[in-house]
Amino acid sequence: MTELRAIRAERKPLFASVSAALKREIASGRFAQSDLLPGERELSQMLEVSRTTLRRAIAGLIEEGVLVHRHGAGTFVRRSPPHVEQPLSRLTSFTEDMRLRGLAASSKVIERGAFLPTPEESMMLDIALSEAVFRLSRLRLADGVPMAIERAAVPMRFLGEAERVGDSLYAALEASGYRPVRAVQRLRAVVIGAPEAALLDIPEGSPALDIHRVAYVADGRRVEFTRSTYRSDTYDFVAELTLPPNARQRAEGAQR
C-alpha cells in the first residue's frame, strides 16, 4: 500500500495516521472494484499496526461516513451517490429521468398487485373504497445506488390487467391509452425513520423529501397517486418561474 509505512513518522495519534492512510487509498481507487475492505488481519499486516488501532481508525471512518459496516458482509467504502437536478415542470417517469442523465435505472419491488384502496388512496384518486387499485411500491436505484422509495396506486380500470405492468408504470398507462398529461406535486421536508433509512442505505434521522403526486389524464380524471421519499443528498428539485402575461407586457413596455 502506498505510503503506509510512513504513518509511524507522522506526529499524530497512530489511529489517526491509519485513518488518513486509508482515506488516501480510497481516494486512489484501490478498493473501487468491490468497495469491500480487506479483513482485519490482512489490513493490520499491511499497515503494520495492531488490530485494536485498526479498529479504532475504521470506527472513526464509519462515524465520518467514509465507510459503512454491514453485519455479516464486512466493511465497505461509502461511495458518493449520483446527484440529480429534477425540473418540477416536466412530467416523466423515474426510468426516463435516469436515462436522460446517462444513469442506469433499476428497481426492487416492495409491494405489487391489485388491492382495495386505502382511505388516502381513495381520497387522492377520487374513487370509492370498493374500487380496486393496482399498487406498486418500489425502491428506485440509479447505477445501483438507492435514490427513492415510490408507492404508486392506479385505478385498475386504467390498466385492465396487472400483468400488463412491466418495469415502467407510465409505459403501461401509455399502452392502455391513459398516459398522464399533467400532475400536481406537493413537497415537504421530513426526517426519515428506521425502515425507510435501511432501504435507502442512509442513517436513521437523515433529512428526506416527502412528495405526493396526483396525475391526471386528458379528460381530467385522476389516474395516479404516488407518494415518494427521496434522499435529500441525491436530488435538487428545480422550478422555473415566469411573470404572468399582464405583468410581462408591462415590463416589456417599460423597457421600450
Side-chain angles (χ1 to χ4, degrees):
M1 267 192 183
T2 307
E3 301 179 4
L4 294 183
R5 293 185 180 180
I7 61 177
R8 296 183 181 278
E10 298 179 12
R11 294 183 178 180
K12 54 184 173 181
L14 187 55
F15 77 88
S17 296
V18 173
S19 296
L22 284 172
K23 282 183 178 179
R24 287 194 293 270
E25 293 301 319
I26 289 168
S28 74
R30 183 179 180 86
F31 308 112
Q33 283 192 335
S34 68
D35 287 348
L36 175 66
L37 291 186
E40 280 188 3
R41 182 177 179 180
E42 184 180 349
L43 268 181
S44 61
Q45 289 176 348
M46 288 179 179
L47 294 163
E48 297 182 356
V49 295
S50 69
R51 291 193 184 187
T52 301
T53 299
L54 177 64
R55 287 171 189 155
R56 190 173 177 186
I58 289 175
L61 292 178
I62 291 174
E63 188 174 344
E64 287 182 40
V66 176
L67 301 175
V68 58
H69 182 73
R70 296 171 186 161
H71 184 68
T75 303
F76 294 79
V77 176
R78 185 187 291 276
R79 297 296 178 186
S80 298
H83 199 88
V84 172
E85 282 195 359
Q86 177 64 43
L88 288 173
S89 57
R90 190 172 62 210
L91 183 56
T92 53
S93 69
F94 179 87
T95 302
E96 292 168 332
D97 288 336
M98 296 306 106
R99 188 185 300 120
L100 288 170
R101 291 163 177 79
L103 302 171
S106 60
S107 302
K108 293 181 180 179
V109 176
I110 302 169
E111 183 181 41
R112 178 192 181 97
F115 303 89
L116 289 177
T118 65
E120 182 183 36
E121 289 168 346
S122 171
M123 178 179 67
M124 301 304 290
L125 290 168
D126 193 25
I127 60 174
L129 287 168
S130 58
E131 182 175 347
V133 298
F134 178 77
R135 191 178 300 142
L136 183 58
S137 299
R138 293 173 290 181
L139 176 67
R140 309 307 302 262
L141 304 97
D143 285 353
V145 177
M147 301 283 281
I149 301 167
E150 288 185 353
R151 298 178 176 89
V154 172
M156 284 298 303
R157 56 189 155 96
F158 291 113
L159 291 170
E161 298 177 0
E163 291 74 18
R164 292 183 181 179
V165 183
D167 294 334
S168 173
L169 185 58
Y170 271 29
L173 286 170
E174 185 166 12
S176 297
Y178 294 109
R179 172 78 187 222
V181 297
R182 70 180 185 91
V184 176
Q185 288 195 147
R186 289 180 173 83
L187 292 75
R188 65 182 182 126
V190 296
V191 173
I192 203 163
E196 292 182 325
L199 286 171
L200 292 171
D201 194 24
I202 56 178
E204 181 181 358
S206 297
L209 293 171
D210 183 57
I211 302 176
H212 289 200
R213 179 171 72 194
V214 177
Y216 301 79
V217 290
D219 63 9
R221 286 179 294 172
R222 302 179 186 189
V223 68
E224 172 213 9
F225 168 56
T226 296
R227 183 171 183 176
S228 304
T229 303
Y230 285 81
R231 289 175 54 162
S232 63
D233 61 340
T234 61
Y235 266 87
D236 286 337
F237 286 88
V238 181
E240 180 180 354
L241 306 179
T242 61
L243 287 171
N246 56 347
R248 189 183 308 168
Q249 289 172 359
R250 291 197 301 269
E252 291 172 349
Q255 293 173 3
R256 291 174 185 158

